Amino acid sequence: MKPVKIGILGLGTVGGGTVNVLQRNAAVIRGRAGRDIIITRACAKDLTRQRICDTQGIQLTTDPFEVVNDPDIDIILELMGGQSPAKELVLQAIANGKHVVTANKALIALHGNEIFKKASECGVTVAFEAAVAGGVPIIKAIREGLSGNQIEWLAGIINGTGNFILTEMRDKGRDFSDVLAEAQALGYAEADPTFDVEGIDAGHKLTILASIAFGIPLQFDKVYTEGITGITRDDVEYAEELGYRIKHLGIARKTAVGIELRVHPTLIPERRLIANVDGVKNAVLVYGDAVGPTLYYGAGAGAEPTASAVVADIVDVVRALTSDPENRVPHLAFQPNAIVEQPILSAEQFTTAYYLRLTAEDKPGVLAEVTKILAEHNISIEAIIQKEPQLGFTTLPVIMLTQKTLEKEMNAAIAEIEALSSITGKVSRIRLETLG
Ligand code: HSE
């Protein structure tokens, strides 16, 4: 069989890692795919830059359209990231009858519905395993391995940079900005690192996971996102005293009234395996009605872990090159006519437990006022700790864990608590999930 020819868009961290893995593991990859895979062309913004890979034998260009319009190329690897010109290039490649492998979560979360429709019309595959959780084969696991289940919920640490920052802050007491700079130097962070720390990147990934789990269209605009910048070292310590870890989770859950799609810092019991996933590692907990809870763990970012997923997609595409397009694994797990809109809940409709931290005056009756407000909103308290006032202060921190409640009730209760004259400043609130 003649070799399959690859064109690469982007020779940065992921592109460079992919070249290295394809070259180093060529023999084993050929054994699995059944054909030789050769990189014939690649595009990079700056051809003079030093790279992590050897580009000898690869025709280089700065014009990505030269690569997607090359009639000899069978598969395009879109590893440049961002929305434009990635979207135009992918659509052009599809129109040219080429299969596409991408690591671009923003592209799939925001434009996937249009891209998959076009790919189906043109009979080509767009594969995107590397878009979620780096090297962890979570797309394949949900789309294929769990296809006999109704997925009830999933919860994941799906941003390696954010998890690296939270871990270093907790374990080594390092500063947020210092750890973020290290994550950027290691190639973990997005081009705009606010995407990592504000939950946008995790929101993109959650959009994709929810779609393949529940058979709904991709809809990033309906994901609630909250970042990690408001987490203080005090919160981390108080949570640990109560037996919890704070993790930045993406959660998708099917309820009787609709689907919750949310990304936010979350307290989780420290005995859960996922609470002990540290550094740049990602983990996704998926609950299927038949299988129960399953956990997928591994490196969520970095050159070769992401390349591992890209190359797995290339092998899948090569194996499917001769199969009838109608009988390939569907892009979003469900056949296109089985993808249906379902209501996505607003944040006020979420049901979750909470960690609350408030600053109260050190005088009798204050806690009674706070607990009365919570009771009026039907919110039960699970645990409460009151710390000593710091020397010279007349206020003290009070930390509470509540049972599950509707977010709307919690918002109203917090507004009333903040209005009390005996409470200073804002109430800090972090959602809590037992993930049982
Ligand atoms: N910036 C992303 C992360 C890269 O840190 O998880 C992998 O998608």
Side-chain angles (χ1 to χ4, degrees), residues 14 103 105 130-134 158-163 183 187-191 195-196 201-202 205 280 282 300-302 306:
V14 181
K105 49 267 162 129
V132 183
I158 44 180
N159 181 269
T161 302
N163 202 42
Y188 301 155
E190 294 303 294
F195 275 40
D196 295 293
D201 177 75
K205 294 165 178 168
V280 73
N282 279 195
T306 312

Side-chain angles (χ1 to χ4, degrees), residues 85 111 157 214 366 369 428:
H111 305 292
I157 296 170
F214 303 131
V366 177
E369 286 181 310
S428 280

Side-chain angles (χ1 to χ4, degrees), residues 244-304:
Y244 291 83
R245 291 266 167 89
I246 299 178
K247 290 291 178 191
H248 199 201
L249 289 192
I251 299 173
R253 177 181 289 147
K254 207 166 187 171
T255 76
V257 286
I259 292 173
E260 295 180 351
L261 294 180
R262 46 191 172 105
V263 174
H264 51 70
T266 314
L267 264 76
I268 44 181
E270 69 186 358
R271 65 180 182 281
R272 296 264 176 261
L273 284 174
I274 196 169
N276 297 284
V277 170
D278 288 332
V280 73
K281 293 288 192 288
N282 279 195
V284 185
L285 189 51
V286 185
Y287 194 98
D289 69 335
V291 71
T294 56
L295 181 67
Y296 309 86
Y297 166 84
E304 293 215 356

Side-chain angles (χ1 to χ4, degrees), residues 30-51:
R30 185 196 316 113
R32 289 181 172 133
R35 313 226 336 228
D36 275 318
I37 293 168
I38 53 173
I39 308 163
T40 56
R41 291 182 91 137
C43 162
K45 258 194 265 170
D46 176 3
L47 298 183
T48 61
R49 221 182 92 182
Q50 202 171 354
R51 312 208 165 274

Side-chain angles (χ1 to χ4, degrees), residues 33-170:
R35 313 226 336 228
D36 275 318
I37 293 168
I38 53 173
I39 308 163
T40 56
R41 291 182 91 137
C43 162
K45 258 194 265 170
D46 176 3
L47 298 183
T48 61
R49 221 182 92 182
Q50 202 171 354
R51 312 208 165 274
I52 59 170
C53 62
D54 178 3
T55 55
Q56 235 186 349
I58 303 173
Q59 200 180 334
L60 299 179
T61 173
T62 53
D63 178 5
F65 282 94
E66 259 183 40
V67 182
V68 297
N69 289 327
D70 180 337
D72 276 347
I73 288 175
D74 304 294
I75 304 175
I76 293 291
L77 310 188
E78 187 281 297
L79 307 175
M80 59 205 300
Q83 291 187 60
S84 185
K87 180 183 166 194
E88 294 75 15
L89 288 160
V90 164
L91 290 174
Q92 180 69 38
I94 294 170
N96 289 344
K98 299 183 193 310
H99 301 275
V100 175
V101 172
T102 179
N104 191 335
K105 49 267 162 129
L107 179 75
I108 298 299
L110 296 163
H111 305 292
N113 297 321
E114 179 186 348
I115 289 170
F116 296 137
K117 185 165 178 285
K118 176 96 179 160
S120 297
E121 283 162 12
C122 296
V124 298
T125 298
V126 176
F128 52 95
E129 181 65 68
V132 183
V136 183
I138 185 65
I139 303 288
K140 199 179 242 313
I142 298 176
R143 194 166 59 183
E144 297 168 52
L146 300 181
S147 56
N149 287 259
Q150 294 199 47
I151 308 295
E152 297 186 1
W153 56 265
L154 59 88
I157 296 170
I158 44 180
N159 181 269
T161 302
N163 202 42
F164 180 65
I165 293 172
L166 286 177
T167 306
E168 291 287 305
M169 282 174 70
R170 190 195 73 215

Side-chain angles (χ1 to χ4, degrees), residues 23 60 84 140-142 146 149 158 169 171 224 229 237 242 270 286 291 314 317 358 373 379 382-383 395 400 427-428:
Q23 288 173 345
L60 299 179
S84 185
K140 199 179 242 313
I142 298 176
L146 300 181
N149 287 259
I158 44 180
M169 282 174 70
D171 291 355
Y224 170 83
T229 47
E237 278 171 24
L242 290 158
E270 69 186 358
V286 185
V291 71
I314 298 172
V317 171
L358 33 122
I373 292 173
I379 300 170
E382 181 79 26
T395 56
M400 292 179 176
V427 173
S428 280

